[in-house]
Amino acid sequence: MEAVIRKWGNSPALRLPAKVIKEAAFRLEQKVNITATRGRIVIEPSATVEYDLDELVGGITSKNQHAEVSFGAPVGKEAL
């Protein structure tokens, strides 16, 4: 499959067809590592996933918040 490198702002850009993303099992907003050597550019999934606690907590709404769950009375020396 051929594509054309174009200018996007001050940087070169390459649009990846949806078929390529699907075949590589990538998704939008996924973090990737990019390496370049001897005329090749390799795009691989990032091995580490970083979460932002403020962003995660900010996503809690009354619609996705579950009710309190009881796991029963203490059975050992649990701190309450």
Side-chain angles (χ1 to χ4, degrees), residues 71-80:
F71 291 94
V75 294
K77 295 183 180 181
E78 293 92 341
L80 297 179

Side-chain angles (χ1 to χ4, degrees), residues 1-35:
M1 179 177 303
E2 269 190 8
V4 177
I5 298 173
R6 301 198 185 272
K7 189 169 180 144
W8 184 4
N10 289 330
S11 301
L14 180 64
R15 293 183 69 151
L16 301 173
K19 181 179 178 180
V20 171
I21 297 296
K22 184 177 181 179
E23 284 183 27
F26 285 3
R27 66 188 186 314
L28 295 178
E29 302 299 322
Q30 178 178 353
K31 289 190 177 191
V32 296
N33 292 321
I34 303 170
T35 55

Side-chain angles (χ1 to χ4, degrees), residues 45-63:
S46 180
T48 58
V49 178
E50 295 179 23
Y51 295 100
D52 181 281
L53 182 59
D54 291 331
E55 184 179 328
L56 292 172
V57 171
I60 297 173
T61 67
S62 60
K63 292 186 180 205

